[in-house]
Structures are given as structure tokens and as C-alpha cells.
Amino acid sequence: MEERDGELRWDGLCSRDAATRAAALDNVGQAVLRRSQSVAPGRAAGGLQAAAVRDGLSEALVRLLMLSKRCPFGDVRERSEAILSSVQELGIRIPRPLGHGPSRFIPEKETVQVGSEDAMMHTLFADSFATLGRLDNVTLVMVFHPQYLESFLKTQHYLLQMDGPLPLHYRHYIGIMAAARHQCSYLVNLHVNDFLHVGGDPKWLNGLENAPQKLQNLGELNKMLAHRPWLITKEHIEQLLKTEENSWSLAELIHAVVLLTHYHSLASFTFGCGISPEIDCEGGHTFRPPSVSNYCLCDITNGYHGVDDIHASPAASIPTTESVCEVEALMEKMKQLQECRDEEEASQEEMATRFEREKRESMLVCSSEDEESAPTRDVSRHFEDTSYGYKDFSRHGMHVPTFRAQDYSWEDHGYSLVNRLYPDVGQLLDEKFHIAYNLTYNTMAMHKDVDTSMLRRAIWNYIHCMFGIRYDDYDYGEINQLLDRSFKVYIKTVVCTPEKTTKRMYDSFWRQFEHSEKVHVNLLLVEARMQAELLYALRAITRYMT
């Protein structure tokens, strides 16, 4: 990350070696102060050159603000803050963060504070920072579950940066295409920067029609995977693999499919946890000074009010008898279901009927929220057919055959196909799915030593049921017993139309559970969604190959 004039270098700040970081900090500090002095009030600087210096200085100051708040290395945080103070003393306005912490849904004081993390978290933060040059808000929310975060970062690093069928700039561009399908400007912003950093052509960012035909051809698969994966057939795969000079190889297509499903599901996590804009991205900082009341007009227009106002929510309030009863009632249902399981088992016909009933009911669940979801920058230029969105799979008399997991499963079919065509990725995905599915601390709200496997399986299977995927050995009657309507609304919104997720939806389910438990739910939603999309795409690829 080198400035054009070779003067300002940031790369040394990611080093694990303190001496290398110190030298880089000296370089950055001197360069920033030189520029600040040249445009400080009272200097007779004008014209295009001064404007360019000011623009470059603003970018550097925003970068320093981000480092002062989000760098896992204490020396970098302190020195970045000191450089900003020195600039301010010259009479130059410095930026400050907008919003409160990495999530709009979770009070900042309840998230892990950079600098006060434990040893395991620090290692994860340092790895992420060394690899990406940033410690992003997704990481700061996922770190509620360090074991999962480690697997997630390892997989994402492999997909984006290690040897693979696709060139680096294609990988980031596919990430942009996938995130844009859900209007996820948070992820689009990150990958626009990464795309340019690895040498991507800025013209491609003007719209999908400016990208190579090969990437444009991926648009159809992108929209179907994101919104209606059950419609993907071997003919769609054939079109991509047999378009002569713009054709994809099987290995490239597998890499692309994994990236698309990764970023569709990561958009679900981003909206489901209310991830805030990064400090150094649009909407994450302001150069306006705070007003006397500690927040200003620019905060209000961005949807940020007082700290107390933004986080006043049922989840943060004093436990009510009703919400405590909610936890007790859920635990009692789990106990009763376990006893019924032990006593009798439903017939195969009855199990199939219950699946069809749950599938029909899942189509009646929809978000009827009046509240606005978070405003996002328009990113529709990165994909075609903007009117194409999620539709339930059995609307208007159209019947999609049930996808029987026994006929095509991740464990028996998908895993080996991915691993054969894109070595090691099948293994990484398999580990990530298993960690999310099996993750438990044996707690439920204020209760300890609880077996939560029944609840976790109900959430996972409900998501797959919404995608038409059925497990013959699962009693779908359990879903209605364990997941209430507000929870189902949240799940369906986050998985199918994540851009419509609101804070009210997040607050309205599991009101007495910890925020870490709600983040845990989101990990289940992310991985179950990703696996469902993958199963449809990989089944179509398998059918094409046979």
C-alpha cells in the first residue's frame, strides 16, 4: 500500500516485528506532518496541487483513525493517536468515528474491545491484521466464538489469497458481484479496495457490463444462487463451461461457486448482526466536530443518536417475567420432545407429511416490518436484472421436487467433488460447517449444563427446509415446537432477504439470551445457507459431469 510519490508507506505496520512497525510509524508520522504543515491554516497554499495534498492527507488521517481504534498492536494504536493529535495542533480538522462499535445491534461495551482481548483472540486479530491489513467489524463480532472465527478466517484467506484456479482480481470482483446481489455495500466497499489493491481494472467497477464477458456470464448463476438456487440445472453449468473463448474450466467454476456462496451468506451475517461501516469507509467517520450534546447533525442523518438511545432495546433491558418464562418454556419443550422421541418414532409417511407442512408454512412466514432497515449505498451496477429476488419455490402452482439429502449430501457427494477440483477447500469448508453445527457452550440464557443439540438441529433443518432440502431421519414437527414466529421471521429474513433485516427483528427473538448466543444463531444461518446453495450448484455440476 504505497503512495504514488513513494513517500508514504503503510505495509510495515502489519509486521509482527516491533522494530519494523516502529520504522514504518516514523515514516508515516513524518510524511503526514510534512503534508499537514504545507496545508495548515495561514499557509498561502492554493490551486490543484494543494487540493490534491489535502485529499491525500484526509485519506491518511482516516487511515490513522482506523489504526488508532482497530489495530491489534498497541504501539501502532498509540502512535497513530499521537500523530492525529499533532496534526490537530496545527489547526487541521481530524476525523472521528461515527456510530458506536462494530455492530448497530450490540452495545459497544458488550463487544470485545481491541487491546483488552485474551491471548487466543489476540493471535486471531494479529493474523487477520497481518493478512488483510485491517481488523474488520465482522471479525470483531465473530470473535464471540473464537473457534469458529479461526476456521472462517483460514477458509476466507485460502479462497482469496492462496494458490487457486482464479486470478486474485477475479476473486475480489466475484465477491463484489455476490455481495451486491443483497445490496451489501459494507462488503462491496471492502472488496472494491482489495480489488484495486491487487491491480484490478477500475473500469470494471463502473458496472458489470465493463467487466470481461467471462465474468458477465457468471451473472445468471450469481442471481439464482443468491435468490432461487433450486432452479439451477446442468444446462446452466453447461452454458458456462462451453462458451468457447469465454468458457470456465471446472476448477475455476468450483472456485467461483464457493466464492459466490461465501459472500451471499456473509451478507446474511453482515445484515443479521447489524455490522456497522468500517471506520475508514464511507459512513464510518466524519471530519465535522462533535456538537455540545456529543452528537451532531451528521450522526443523526446516519441514523445514530445518543449512545443510550441507539442501544435501548429489549435485549439490554431488565429481565421481564414474560421473557424469562420464554426461556423456561423453550427448555420444557425440548425436554418433552426428547421424551416423546424416546417413547415412539413417527412413520416415514408421517415424517414426509410433516416436512411438506413445514415447507408450506415457511412460505407464509414473511417480514411485515414498517421500520426501515439500514440505508445502503446503491451497488446495483455490479449485477444485472435488479428486479430478480427471492421467491418461495412453490408459488403460482410451480412445484419444485424435494431435494432429498439422502440422494445428494455434502458429506457423501459435495465434499469430495470440491476437494477433487479445488484441493483443500472441501476440507476447510467441511471443518467450518462442523464447527458451526456442533458449537455449544451448553448454556441457554441464564441456564448452564443444557444440551442444545435439538435446538441447533431445528434451526439448521428449518433453513434447509426453506430451500426444499429434506432429511428423511428428521421429525419436522419439532421445528414448530422450538422456533416461535418472531424467530422464524428473523431467520427467513436474514437467510432469504438479508437487506430487509431490522434491529427490531433482532431484538424481538430470544429476548433474554446473550448477544453472543444471537451471534451463534447467525453462524448457524450463515453455514446452513451456504451449504444449501452449494448443494444445488454441486448437484448440477455432478449431473453435467455424468
Side-chain angles (χ1 to χ4, degrees):
M1 298 179 205
E2 206 170 331
E3 290 274 315
R4 282 187 205 89
D5 58 10
E7 192 184 24
L8 196 55
R9 295 181 62 95
W10 300 95
D11 42 358
L13 301 181
C14 297
S15 171
R16 293 171 190 278
D17 175 56
T20 304
R21 293 198 301 271
L25 285 162
D26 285 342
N27 175 285
V28 168
Q30 289 163 16
V32 167
L33 288 173
R34 265 199 305 278
R35 291 177 187 195
S36 302
Q37 286 159 353
S38 73
V39 295
R43 298 262 171 179
L48 291 174
Q49 193 175 357
V53 171
R54 282 194 191 91
D55 286 347
L57 178 61
S58 293
E59 279 180 35
L61 295 178
V62 169
R63 187 77 173 274
L64 285 165
L65 175 67
M66 182 270 289
L67 290 168
S68 73
K69 304 288 183 191
R70 294 283 191 266
C71 182
F73 305 118
D75 54 344
V76 176
R77 288 198 305 275
E78 288 161 25
R79 187 69 189 279
S80 299
E81 207 167 305
I83 296 168
L84 287 169
S85 297
S86 302
V87 170
Q88 192 172 28
E89 284 165 15
L90 291 169
I92 292 173
R93 196 173 276 179
I94 62 168
R96 62 188 178 84
L98 272 176
H100 308 282
S103 163
R104 293 180 302 110
F105 297 172
I106 305 171
E108 186 173 14
K109 64 179 183 297
E110 294 187 37
T111 59
V112 173
Q113 306 300 305
V114 179
S116 61
E117 68 274 11
D118 64 28
M120 182 186 180
M121 288 178 184
H122 180 75
T123 302
L124 288 171
F125 286 173
D127 286 348
S128 181
F129 193 79
T131 304
L132 301 170
R134 62 175 179 259
L135 187 56
D136 60 39
N137 289 338
V138 164
T139 300
L140 290 172
V141 172
M142 271 187 191
V143 81
F144 275 120
H145 306 285
Q147 186 194 3
Y148 174 85
L149 175 61
E150 183 176 18
S151 176
F152 173 86
L153 290 174
K154 196 164 56 172
T155 306
Q156 185 169 262
H157 175 61
Y158 196 93
L159 290 174
L160 292 176
Q161 292 173 292
M162 300 296 280
D163 286 345
L166 293 174
L168 297 183
H169 62 302
Y170 267 51
R171 303 179 197 195
H172 290 294
Y173 197 80
I174 290 168
I176 292 167
M177 287 172 66
R181 277 277 20 146
H182 286 305
Q183 289 103 56
C184 187
S185 54
Y186 171 85
L187 290 173
V188 170
N189 280 338
L190 289 185
H191 286 282
V192 162
N193 291 335
D194 290 340
F195 172 77
L196 295 171
H197 181 58
V198 297
D201 184 345
K203 286 205 261 327
W204 298 10
L205 300 175
N206 294 331
L208 185 58
E209 69 279 5
N210 297 290
Q213 188 61 45
K214 182 170 175 171
L215 283 165
Q216 291 184 44
N217 292 347
L218 202 60
E220 184 77 6
L221 187 65
N222 180 25
K223 77 177 187 183
M224 292 171 78
L225 268 175
H227 306 300
R228 306 174 206 171
W230 44 87
L231 298 181
I232 295 170
T233 64
K234 69 176 185 179
E235 284 73 31
H236 293 111
I237 303 304
E238 191 170 15
Q239 280 176 339
L240 288 165
L241 297 171
K242 291 195 167 174
T243 43
E244 287 144 21
E245 74 271 21
N246 297 310
S247 68
W248 291 75
S249 72
L250 266 172
E252 287 174 330
L253 186 58
I254 290 284
H255 194 168
V257 162
V258 175
L259 282 167
L260 289 170
T261 57
H262 176 81
Y263 282 104
H264 294 153
S265 54
L266 192 53
S268 285
F269 184 86
T270 301
F271 286 115
C273 291
I275 300 294
S276 303
E278 293 299 325
I279 289 171
D280 56 340
C281 286
E282 187 182 339
H285 62 272
T286 179
F287 279 86
R288 295 186 185 185
S291 67
V292 179
S293 64
N294 225 12
Y295 60 93
C296 65
L297 189 63
C298 51
D299 285 336
I300 297 168
T301 54
N302 276 284
Y304 299 114
H305 310 291
V307 179
D308 298 331
D309 178 26
I310 191 169
H311 290 310
S313 70
S317 59
I318 297 162
T320 62
T321 311
E322 184 194 349
S323 57
V324 171
C325 289
E326 194 179 56
V327 182
E328 306 292 350
L330 182 54
M331 289 181 66
E332 184 56 36
K333 280 178 188 166
M334 285 164 62
K335 188 178 161 199
Q336 287 169 0
L337 285 170
Q338 188 58 55
E339 286 166 358
C340 291
R341 257 191 205 173
D342 295 342
E343 284 169 22
E344 58 176 320
E345 199 173 303
S347 67
Q348 278 302 311
E349 295 82 77
E350 176 59 23
M351 300 268 260
T353 303
R354 288 175 187 177
F355 169 78
E356 291 300 330
R357 188 185 305 135
E358 191 55 54
K359 194 168 77 165
R360 276 196 308 278
E361 284 185 14
S362 79
M363 288 186 276
L364 303 174
V365 172
C366 59
S367 61
S368 53
E369 289 282 319
D370 301 324
E371 182 191 347
E372 285 291 308
S373 44
T376 57
R377 198 159 57 91
D378 181 38
V379 291
S380 57
R381 65 185 177 282
H382 299 298
F383 62 92
E384 297 164 323
D385 197 359
T386 51
S387 62
Y388 191 96
Y390 173 79
K391 277 212 168 45
D392 292 314
F393 42 73
S394 295
R395 284 168 98 93
H396 313 303
M398 187 179 119
H399 180 69
V400 176
T402 293
F403 185 129
R404 292 179 71 251
Q406 277 66 19
D407 297 337
Y408 196 95
S409 69
W410 166 256
E411 290 79 6
D412 297 333
H413 308 90
Y415 167 80
S416 55
L417 177 62
V418 172
N419 238 24
R420 189 163 83 245
L421 292 168
Y422 187 9
D424 297 330
V425 168
Q427 183 65 45
L428 288 165
L429 292 175
D430 193 56
E431 179 187 294
K432 190 159 63 78
F433 291 148
H434 274 101
I435 289 172
Y437 189 89
N438 296 310
L439 186 67
T440 183
Y441 306 94
N442 300 112
T443 59
M444 271 179 68
M446 65 293 290
H447 298 277
K448 293 182 168 46
D449 302 317
V450 184
D451 179 358
T452 61
S453 54
M454 181 184 283
L455 187 54
R456 283 180 279 121
R457 191 176 183 195
I459 294 168
W460 186 281
N461 287 1
Y462 179 59
I463 294 158
H464 279 200
C465 177
M466 289 192 302
F467 282 87
I469 298 170
R470 181 189 164 209
Y471 295 88
D472 287 351
D473 62 346
Y474 183 68
D475 179 356
Y476 285 84
E478 292 185 4
I479 289 173
N480 264 345
Q481 297 287 313
L482 298 174
L483 314 183
D484 64 24
R485 184 158 186 84
S486 62
F487 193 13
K488 282 183 170 181
V489 166
Y490 177 79
I491 291 173
K492 186 168 184 180
T493 306
V494 171
V495 171
C496 302
T497 52
E499 59 280 9
K500 294 182 179 173
T501 310
T502 63
K503 186 171 188 297
R504 188 176 304 167
M505 286 180 195
Y506 175 90
D507 288 337
S508 67
F509 84 91
W510 283 12
R511 287 166 297 171
Q512 265 338 105
F513 284 72
E514 301 286 334
H515 287 290
S516 62
E517 292 173 301
K518 292 192 170 196
V519 172
H520 187 177
V521 166
N522 275 282
L523 300 184
L524 282 167
L525 307 194
V526 164
E527 297 303 334
R529 174 185 179 171
M530 183 174 183
Q531 193 180 90
E533 282 189 32
L534 272 176
L535 283 171
Y536 278 107
L538 296 174
R539 184 179 70 168
I541 291 170
T542 301
R543 285 176 174 173
Y544 164 80
M545 290 167 70
T546 53

